[in-house]
Amino acid sequence: MSHIEIRIYDDELIVWSPGGLPLGLTMEDLFKPHASKLRNKGIAEVFFDTKIIEQWGSGIEKMLNYCKEAGVTEPVLEEYQGFRVIFRKSIFNEEYLQGLGLNGRQIKAAFYVKEKGRITNKDYQQISEVKERLATMELKELVEKGIFEKVGSRGRGTHYIINPAFMPK
């Protein structure tokens, strides 16, 4: 008999189960509506009756939604000597951004873009309490470091987004 393992590292959490997917269920099936295949009906009924679970087959979708709400990357699900789920710490955190040499204003702008989807020079000036020239320089540096991507060439329509190549999948 094997046990479920939970491994905690600085940058990831791995939950491993010795059991593979139930027969007839594929990895692709996990990401779309599917029938739940209970391994232990008695335990499942206790969890359902005590409201620990709401319905069969909703766990993967909930996990993905919770990760999205928390702003972390989607977990990796894989069949590996059983089945494992790997939760990775998002590199989009203050410690990582400081390590790239960003100052506090730039880090604040990065989180602003992560939340709002974009930032303009004027937005940067307002949230950082700096003048246009410094905002322009610091935004340019964010583009040069590959963190932001500039959309538009000049004027009011110009804004910055997170460079898709910067964010992990």
Side-chain angles (χ1 to χ4, degrees):
M1 181 174 164
S2 293
H3 300 282
I4 291 174
E5 288 182 10
I6 299 175
R7 295 181 179 195
I8 302 171
Y9 301 99
D10 288 342
D11 60 346
E12 65 185 11
L13 167 77
I14 302 172
V15 180
W16 174 81
S17 171
L21 291 175
L23 287 174
L25 192 63
T26 67
M27 290 293 287
E28 293 78 31
D29 293 336
L30 295 177
F31 297 95
K32 56 187 177 189
H34 61 277
S36 185
K37 301 191 183 219
L38 304 178
R39 292 183 190 270
N40 188 318
K41 191 174 182 198
I43 290 175
E45 287 175 352
V46 169
F47 282 178
F48 183 78
D49 291 343
T50 57
K51 308 235 185 303
I52 292 173
I53 59 173
E54 297 169 7
Q55 66 186 48
W56 318 127
S58 64
I60 301 292
E61 184 179 342
K62 275 186 178 178
M63 206 170 31
L64 297 175
N65 288 335
Y66 286 138
C67 287
K68 187 175 184 176
E69 286 175 21
V72 297
T73 56
E74 286 188 359
V76 175
L77 290 91
E78 59 187 22
E79 291 184 276
Y80 175 78
Q81 300 174 353
F83 185 79
R84 71 180 179 179
V85 180
I86 304 169
F87 297 91
R88 292 203 168 98
K89 180 179 174 182
S90 173
I91 64 164
F92 208 96
N93 60 61
E94 191 166 348
E95 179 184 335
Y96 180 79
L97 295 173
Q98 283 175 339
L100 294 175
L102 302 187
N103 64 40
R105 292 182 301 274
Q106 291 169 317
I107 292 170
K108 191 175 186 179
F111 285 116
Y112 180 93
V113 176
K114 186 177 180 193
E115 180 185 339
K116 308 275 187 189
R118 60 189 269 166
I119 191 169
T120 64
N121 189 299
K122 189 168 189 87
D123 294 331
Y124 192 96
Q125 291 172 53
Q126 289 174 343
I127 67 168
S128 301
E129 299 177 1
V130 297
K131 301 223 183 268
E132 182 179 6
R133 183 180 167 127
L134 183 56
T136 300
M137 286 175 23
E138 292 186 352
L139 286 165
K140 182 180 178 193
E141 186 178 334
L142 286 162
V143 171
E144 289 169 352
K145 289 187 178 206
I147 299 164
F148 282 2
E149 185 176 291
K150 185 177 180 181
V151 178
S153 57
R154 57 186 346 191
R156 288 188 179 173
T158 302
H159 61 275
Y160 301 82
I161 60 172
I162 299 291
N163 181 348
F166 177 72
M167 291 300 285
K169 298 290 181 221

